[in-house]
Amino acid sequence: MKKQLYVAIAVLYAGNSLYAQNGDPKITEVWNPEPRIVTPGSTSADAPSDAIVLFDGSGLSSWERADGKGPASWKLDNKIMTVAKGSGAIRTKQSFGDCQLHIEWRSPAEVKGDGQGRGNSGIFLMSNYELQVLDGYKNRTYSNGQAGSIYKQLIPLANACRKPGEWQTYDIIFTAPRFNKDSTLKSQGRITVIHNGVLVQNNAAILGATQYIGIPQNTFHKEKEPIILQDHGDPVSFRNIWIRELE
């Protein structure tokens, strides 16, 4: 759909640019293709009609252990899932590439530790690219490791963290990297992140797969991969997770 629209506009202007300056205004009207109808949620936090709901509090059926060796075993209470320390990361059973992702998270109300040891988790897009989850409220750590960062790569444009124990929101637009047939990189992944209504990553180029030690590397992977939520040992909670696949 998006490609068809770009082609239609390009052809229109290439053939009619001179005439359109002084001619019929209808020359520059594009009627086809017509954008499909998507019914928005009742609020911006609610899933629109074409979204895939990954977690609505009713269960963990859309998730499994990140190693694929069993069901997700995080705690489920009051429509909230919380990291069960030592149970391991979990991943979506379905795989995704380009997407719009909405996810709400909460660090523990009781503050323990500091820096990276305080309310730490992470969202790994395509199982490779980590958007950091961390209690960043009056909690100094390295800038490319705080909440809203692409871990060890991209510093957020602002620290928009709410107080510990308060719900926070990430709205993410992600463009997957592309690889050539010989597995070399064709184009980098890109990400836009809005944290609690504040833009913190603006169509930023991702340098490669997240590394705790060393330089990010762009290693070939499938066009679609699961999303992983990290078990970093802290009881971070999540709710209201939905995703829209983008063409």
Side-chain angles (χ1 to χ4, degrees):
M1 175 65 183
K2 182 167 63 176
K3 184 177 180 180
Q4 290 175 314
L5 181 59
Y6 289 158
V7 170
I9 293 173
V11 170
L12 184 154
Y13 282 104
N16 300 286
S17 58
L18 182 60
Y19 178 75
Q21 297 302 317
N22 301 302
D24 188 346
K26 291 184 179 180
I27 290 295
T28 50
E29 295 176 1
V30 178
W31 286 74
N32 286 298
E34 182 179 3
R36 61 190 175 88
I37 296 173
V38 175
T39 304
S42 57
T43 73
S44 59
D46 296 320
S49 59
D50 64 343
I52 299 167
V53 177
L54 297 175
F55 180 70
D56 62 2
S58 60
L60 297 172
S61 60
S62 296
W63 302 82
E64 63 185 2
R65 286 172 53 99
D67 60 9
K69 296 181 179 179
S73 56
W74 285 12
K75 298 175 183 177
L76 181 63
D77 183 51
N78 196 29
K79 296 187 176 182
I80 296 166
M81 67 173 172
T82 302
V83 176
K85 183 178 180 179
S87 63
I90 62 174
R91 72 182 183 190
T92 55
K93 292 179 180 178
Q94 188 171 344
S95 294
F96 303 96
D98 296 357
C99 67
Q100 173 188 349
L101 175 64
H102 176 93
I103 185 165
E104 298 174 20
W105 57 275
R106 181 180 67 185
S107 60
E110 181 181 359
V111 175
K112 293 183 178 180
D114 56 17
Q116 293 291 304
R118 188 167 139 184
N120 194 325
S121 183
I123 302 160
F124 285 78
L125 296 149
M126 301 193 82
S127 303
N128 280 280
Y129 313 104
E130 183 185 6
L131 171 58
Q132 175 74 310
V133 170
L134 189 75
D135 178 3
Y137 184 80
K138 296 182 180 180
N139 179 35
R140 188 74 172 97
T141 186
Y142 42 93
S143 298
N144 62 349
Q146 69 180 65
S149 68
I150 304 307
Y151 186 72
K152 288 286 186 83
Q153 297 186 39
L154 303 176
I155 299 170
L157 299 173
N159 181 344
C161 284
R162 294 192 170 115
K163 295 178 181 179
E166 295 185 7
W167 283 103
Q168 314 208 42
T169 299
Y170 280 156
D171 284 295
I172 303 159
I173 308 298
F174 175 74
T175 301
R178 266 56 174 180
F179 294 91
N180 296 306
K181 291 182 179 180
D182 64 357
S183 299
T184 57
L185 183 69
K186 182 177 182 180
S187 61
Q188 291 173 286
R190 306 192 75 89
I191 192 166
T192 295
V193 181
I194 298 174
H195 182 195
N196 296 330
V198 178
L199 182 68
V200 296
Q201 299 289 347
N202 187 15
N203 192 31
I206 297 174
L207 305 179
T210 297
Q211 302 289 333
Y212 177 55
I213 299 174
I215 304 300
Q217 301 292 323
N218 283 291
T219 305
F220 176 82
H221 55 68
K222 297 177 182 177
E223 292 183 357
K224 295 186 178 183
E225 295 283 0
I227 294 168
I228 291 177
L229 299 182
Q230 183 185 43
D231 171 9
H232 200 275
D234 297 327
V236 178
S237 299
F238 295 88
R239 70 178 185 187
N240 192 23
I241 306 173
W242 51 263
I243 192 168
R244 297 179 64 240
E245 295 188 280
L246 303 178
E247 297 178 1

